[in-house]
């Protein structure tokens, strides 16, 4: 068992695929697509030796794409010995170029760089490309390509500008795809991945979240023994699923802490408490710290300063409450796999893309507890499925994310009790209307923002000079990039009318039509 509370993933799935990351924006997507086909998949750094890779006993290896050119000095490479291990290898885009380059092919610039949709013509529809039509749409995104393969390779498919869009080695189990089977713009990509996993790698499909839950609960029980575990609750899905797993494992040895910083949404504390008490009989500590946070925020308008203060007081409140819980040895955190890869904390080191996220509302590692992180091998969509598996209610499992600093980063300018009240009411209207329109699941994050702006209006016959509220609604897969939601005009009109009529002190509503980047999802 590792130090984080999970066993080795092999304990809950004895077959796995390894993705070697060469800096692709799609490495995580590849891993998710593999797991969707019930095969456990991990992302590892590209420069592990062939022996280190073989020791992990993968059923197959996928070489991801990446932004480099294989013929440039310093381009990321893999140990070429891995092509000789007898383990199936699928190179995607840069990964394909690397495999072909290593095995006698020639890689160079394409005559015309190819970005976007292309038509793939299949010349050999066996093995990797079995069950596909002779022509299909694929998604290309490359400046280099394989221009010549050695006689050891069989071409399987081509596009108009790419003669070797899919290849297979004649004697080694090595395959290459110049296009991206993992993106939705390659509609039959899942069939290709399925062929690789099941026909080529001979996987059995043993990755199921129900088994994961059972194995994890058992491992937690063994690791924790008779000790007490503290778990912070935020109202979000990650901490709820963490608590649910722990509760199933150790029952009354679990103590949960909810810090109400006064920056929660309308009726949120009550909703979290109701969900909690309906599902757990665990010890629950609620810290009502509204005045502490609002006092600390008095006169503060600078966003980073707000975040720092909130982060500091959150940790202090948590520590003070935790100190009252006798004999606690462990602290449970809802860390997810993307956090592990992005922070470079994975045992195999960082993937190429490193996001330094401002995770205010989290806890530092040095609180004096041993960490338990039962979700650190899971993606967010898997956590949601696991939550349902563990019996948590849909409205909790599908709740939009809410930032640790809460409404403070949506209350632009000074955060006061009165301004928070205006924001809370407006936000409640926005979210209720989105839900009533049946759009909550189709949007990723929806909320109101109170602007530090007053503008002139007319209500009845009187001039008003009051607050403006912005509505933010975004659609995103990973929250790293996002697009604004194309909400129906009628819905926007209803939200606007309701806010102006029902929330005292607001006379203007705007809709935020900025994508991320360059804007961020939150306004501060
Ligand atoms: P941005 O505004 O950076 O937000 O586009 C991306 C996602 O992260 C959430 N967010 C936070 N979550 N603590 C959190 O736990 C924070 O300090 C924080 N700041 C932003 C944001 O709500 C969105 O989902």
């Amino acid at each position: 068992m590792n130090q984080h509370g999970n066993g080795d993933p092999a304990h809950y799935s004895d077959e796995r695929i390894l993705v070697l990351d060469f800096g692709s924006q799609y490495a995580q997507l590849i891993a998710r697509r593999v797991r969707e086909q019930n095969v456990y998949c991990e992302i590892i750094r590209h420069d592990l030796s062939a022996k280190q890779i073989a020791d992990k006993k993968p059923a197959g290896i996928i070489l991801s794409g990446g932004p480099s050119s294989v013929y440039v000095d310093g381009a990321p490479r893999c140990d070429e010995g891995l092509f000789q291990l007898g383990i199936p290898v699928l190179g995607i885009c840069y990964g394909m170029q690397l495999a072909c380059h290593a095995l006698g092919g020639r890689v160079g610039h394409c005559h015309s760089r190819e970005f976007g949709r292309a038509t793939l013509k299949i010349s050999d529809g066996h093995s990797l490309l079995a069950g596909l039509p002779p022509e299909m749409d694929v998604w290309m995104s490359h400046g280099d390509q394989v221009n010549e393969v050695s006689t050891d390779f069989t071409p399987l498919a081509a596009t108009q500008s790419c003669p070797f869009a899919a290849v297979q080695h004649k004697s080694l189990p090595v395959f290459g795809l110049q296009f991206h089977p993992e993106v939705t713009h390659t509609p039959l990509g899942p069939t290709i991945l399925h062929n690789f996993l099941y026909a080529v790698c001979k996987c059995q499909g043993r990755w199921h979240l129900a088994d994961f839950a059972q194995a994890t609960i058992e491992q937690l029980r063994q690791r924790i023994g008779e000790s007490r575990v503290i778990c912070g609750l935020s109202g979000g899905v990650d901490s709820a699923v963490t608590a649910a797993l722990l509760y199933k494992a150790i029952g009354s040895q679990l103590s949960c802490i909810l810090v109400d910083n006064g920056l929660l949404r309308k009726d949120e504390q009550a909703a979290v408490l109701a969900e909690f008490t309906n599902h757990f009989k665990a010890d629950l500590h609620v810290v009502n710290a509204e005045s502490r946070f609002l006092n600390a925020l008095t006169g503060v308008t600078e966003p980073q300063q707000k975040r720092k203060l909130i982060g500091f007081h959150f940790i202090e409140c948590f520590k003070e409450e935790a100190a009252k819980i006798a004999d606690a040895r462990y602290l449970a955190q809802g860390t997810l796999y993307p956090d592990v890869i992005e922070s470079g904390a994975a045992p195999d080191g960082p993937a190429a893309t490193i996001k330094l996220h401002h995770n205010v509302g989290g806890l530092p590692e040095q609180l004096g507890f041993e960490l338990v992180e039962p979700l650190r091998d899971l993606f967010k969509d898997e956590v949601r499925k696991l939550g349902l598996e563990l019996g948590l209610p849909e409205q909790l499992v599908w709740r939009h994310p809410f930032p640790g600093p809460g409404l403070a980063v949506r209350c632009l300018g000074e955060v006061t009790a009165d301004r928070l009240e205006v924001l809370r009411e407006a936000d409640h209207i926005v979210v209720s209307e989105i839900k009533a329109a049946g759009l909550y699941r189709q949007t990723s994050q929806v909320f109101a923002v109170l602007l530090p702006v007053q503008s002139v209006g007319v209500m009845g016959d009187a001039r008003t000079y009051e607050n403006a509220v912005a509505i933010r609604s975004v659609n995103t897969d990973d929250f790293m990039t996002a697009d604004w939601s194309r909400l129906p005009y009628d819905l926007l009109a209803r939200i606007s009318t309701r806010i102006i009529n029902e929330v005292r002190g607001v006379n203007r509503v705007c809709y935020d039509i900025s994508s991320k980047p360059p804007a961020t999802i939150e306004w501060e």
Side-chain angles (χ1 to χ4, degrees), residues 307 355 357-362 400-406 409-410 444-445 447 472 474 476 478-482 516 519-524:
R307 283 175 176 279
K355 179 180 73 162
H357 201 269
H358 39 219
N359 192 17
V360 175
H400 289 176
F402 186 61
V409 291
R410 298 175 180 174
S444 310
Q445 208 169 357
F447 52 90
R472 183 74 163 140
V474 294
T476 171
D478 56 8
F479 296 88
M480 305 278 284
T481 62
K516 173 184 177 178
T520 50
I521 296 175
E522 302 292 345
W523 277 46
E524 286 192 339

Side-chain angles (χ1 to χ4, degrees), residues 20 22 61-65 78 82-83 89-92 95-96 98-99:
L20 268 60
F22 294 94
I61 298 166
I62 298 180
L63 311 180
S64 82
C78 56
L82 72 85
F83 298 115
V89 177
L90 173 63
I92 296 176
M96 168 196 190
L98 205 60

